[in-house]
Amino acid sequence: MPRTPNTRLALLLEAAGWSPARLAAEIRKVAAEQGLTLTIHPTTARRWLDGTHPRPPVSGLLLECLSRRLGRRITAYDAGLTRAPAVVVDPAWEADPMRKLTQLAQAETDPHRRALLSAGVFTATALALPDHAENRKPSGLLASPRGVGRRAGHHDITQLRAMTTVFAAADQHGGRHIRSALAAYLAHEATPLLHRPADTDVHGGLLSVTAQLALLLGSMYADSGHHATARQYHQIAARLAADADDRTTLAIALRTMATHAHDLGHHTPAVLRLAEQADRYAHRAPPAVRAYTRIHLAVLNAHHDRHAAVAALTGAETLYARTPAEPGPFSSYPAGALHYQRAQALATLGDHAAALTALTTSLRLRTPTEHLPAALTRARLAETHLRLGHLEPALTHWNVFVDTYPTLQSTRADTCLTGAVQCLRPHERSAEVAELLRRIGEFTGTLR
């Protein structure tokens, strides 16, 4: 049947200065950022102009590409589309964070709605904390709930904190296998506490710890490759922390958002600004949190300003030297993680020999419980050794990584495994390399 030409999309492409071929190329590029391999031809984009509608996730990727190019949010209506991914929650910062948290967590436990969580697209254009949120003075906690029923108390905060430690420990093997359990806990245990009558200080404490649980779950989604849902959880955590006037947790949330964007390949001034916001909110936080935000500020500055990156590195190391040994996923910062981030900054600055030293220190300082971080550090060590021409130590680290891989439930680990193949192909005439590629091949055909 004849279709109606999509004039809205045509006008947007004209404003962007893009041809259908350029749109197809940009969609493939954004898809690759999110771990998706899509075949989109210019003829496909021309059919969209003729009135055919792309299906998810391509529709969401199309909207993200145009939003980035035009510097404003492009909706499905703006682009003349009707098959954009369904929205599980309102993405606006102003939307009720407790309602959003309930909707997202319940979607994970509902088989019919769970598919929607993987249909979204990570939107770099929606990363920044709104100016009015950053500039506002602390306005106090959200109003404590009123009504009948059991009052929430300090013992509820203690219970939530204990479960935060439990889920953080379980995440050390990767987030895929544990995220449904944490979503169920948030939906059925944590979020209902926020609606119970409580004293102001108790309600604020519940908001803060729930924000930390949401941060953990967001990172588990990111580690599972569901980046749009991860961003939603990170934003919810930031909003809950802001409403509780908990600037320390807000700083951690903003840093987590900046890290997630950086890991997806976004090194733009907007992401740098997010890292700067995190560092400002951490101004009065404990030294561990200040070192945590400052070191990532160095990582992002390395893409923009060498002097600022070196200054941030020095500042993070100074702060870390003053950090007491304090347990807890949101009160401590592992030394191995600090040196891993140092290596990221140094590699971006072009000093790969110093990055190798930092990664070696990072691996040495990893604790026995840091299973996934240690494995990822080994993979990065192997890549860096090979870049410097050291094939033998690279093979040693990659063999250990492959030994560990079956115990991990992580998209990042999957990416490291496929990355190893790309790095090793030029050396496959070596018997040791050929054997390692054979071992990797046992997994790469059925990546989870």
Side-chain angles (χ1 to χ4, degrees):
M1 294 183 62
R3 297 183 182 275
T4 303
N6 190 339
T7 55
R8 291 180 182 274
L9 181 58
L11 288 172
L12 290 173
L13 284 183
E14 182 180 349
W18 283 355
S19 65
R22 177 66 183 278
L23 175 63
E26 293 296 327
I27 291 175
R28 291 195 300 269
K29 187 188 302 182
V30 174
E33 290 175 5
Q34 309 195 29
L36 302 173
T37 302
L38 299 178
T39 302
I40 300 176
H41 300 291
T43 53
T44 306
R46 292 190 190 97
R47 284 199 294 270
W48 298 336
L49 291 171
D50 291 337
T52 300
H53 293 133
R55 301 184 179 218
V58 176
S59 49
L61 294 167
L62 183 154
L63 297 177
E64 171 65 5
C65 288
L66 290 172
S67 297
R68 293 185 191 182
R69 176 67 174 177
L70 299 174
R72 58 188 173 88
R73 182 169 176 255
I74 302 300
T75 66
Y77 175 79
D78 296 332
L81 306 181
T82 59
R83 290 185 179 177
V87 177
V88 177
V89 299
D90 183 348
W93 170 268
E94 292 78 9
D96 181 357
M98 291 190 288
R99 178 179 174 81
K100 289 166 68 173
L101 181 59
T102 300
Q103 290 173 326
L104 272 180
Q106 289 179 345
E108 171 66 30
T109 58
D110 181 350
H112 299 290
R113 300 177 64 206
R114 190 177 187 184
L116 297 178
L117 297 177
S118 60
V121 173
F122 179 87
T123 53
T125 50
L127 274 177
L129 189 70
D131 289 334
H132 64 81
E134 183 180 11
N135 295 332
R136 74 179 178 88
K137 294 180 180 179
S139 57
L141 302 171
L142 285 172
S144 302
R146 306 288 181 188
V148 298
R150 182 178 78 79
R151 293 180 65 82
H154 288 284
H155 61 282
D156 292 306
I157 299 174
T158 301
Q159 181 185 32
L160 290 184
R161 283 182 179 151
M163 292 305 295
T164 301
T165 302
V166 169
F167 283 113
D171 191 35
Q172 292 300 309
H173 286 277
R176 271 196 302 243
H177 72 302
I178 196 67
R179 77 166 196 258
S180 293
L182 177 49
Y185 182 76
L186 275 166
H188 302 299
E189 299 293 336
T191 308
L193 287 173
L194 299 178
H195 297 280
R196 288 185 179 171
D199 294 339
T200 300
D201 62 329
V202 170
H203 187 61
L206 291 172
L207 284 171
S208 293
V209 186
T210 303
Q212 293 171 1
L213 286 165
L215 265 183
L216 280 177
L217 185 51
S219 296
M220 290 175 185
Y221 270 101
D223 200 36
S224 303
H226 299 310
H227 300 293
T229 304
R231 186 193 64 78
Q232 288 276 19
Y233 274 112
H234 292 159
Q235 186 196 60
I236 289 169
R239 173 64 194 277
L240 289 173
D243 286 334
D245 289 339
D246 180 354
R247 296 201 163 207
T248 295
T249 300
L250 178 56
I252 295 171
L254 295 176
R255 199 275 206 185
T256 302
M257 293 168 70
T259 301
H260 183 208
H262 175 271
D263 290 347
L264 290 176
H266 299 287
H267 313 136
T268 62
V271 180
L272 174 60
R273 180 178 175 232
L274 199 61
E276 290 170 341
Q277 289 174 326
D279 198 52
R280 284 196 295 274
Y281 276 109
H283 180 63
R284 291 189 174 88
V289 177
R290 293 172 64 195
Y292 175 74
T293 60
R294 189 67 53 85
I295 193 70
H296 198 254
L297 188 57
V299 171
L300 281 165
N301 264 315
H303 294 276
H304 301 275
D305 184 335
R306 184 181 187 90
H307 177 75
V310 172
L313 275 176
T314 303
E317 291 163 5
T318 301
L319 286 165
Y320 196 81
R322 294 161 34 198
T323 299
E326 188 175 352
F330 288 90
S331 56
S332 63
Y333 185 37
L338 178 83
H339 287 281
Y340 186 88
Q341 294 263 285
R342 283 187 67 245
Q344 281 189 306
L346 291 167
T348 301
L349 292 172
D351 193 344
H352 296 286
L356 181 66
T357 300
L359 286 168
T360 302
T361 303
S362 173
L363 184 62
R364 177 172 55 82
L365 294 174
R366 292 296 188 185
T367 64
T369 60
E370 293 180 272
H371 302 286
L372 177 60
L376 298 177
T377 303
R378 280 197 183 275
R380 182 60 64 87
L381 261 170
E383 293 169 3
T384 307
H385 270 298
L386 198 59
R387 176 187 286 269
L388 294 171
H390 310 154
L391 179 60
E392 186 174 345
L395 291 175
T396 298
H397 287 297
W398 261 317
N399 271 300
V400 177
F401 176 83
V402 173
D403 289 341
T404 307
Y405 177 76
T407 69
L408 306 176
Q409 296 286 329
S410 165
T411 298
R412 286 180 293 169
D414 296 345
T415 301
C416 287
L417 199 68
T418 55
V421 174
Q422 296 173 355
C423 290
L424 290 169
R425 281 296 182 202
H427 307 274
E428 61 185 337
R429 290 185 178 181
S430 161
E432 293 84 357
V433 171
E435 172 59 18
L436 178 56
L437 287 171
R438 184 198 64 76
R439 295 186 64 206
I440 294 174
E442 296 176 359
F443 300 112
T444 53
T446 56
L447 281 183
R448 296 155 296 189

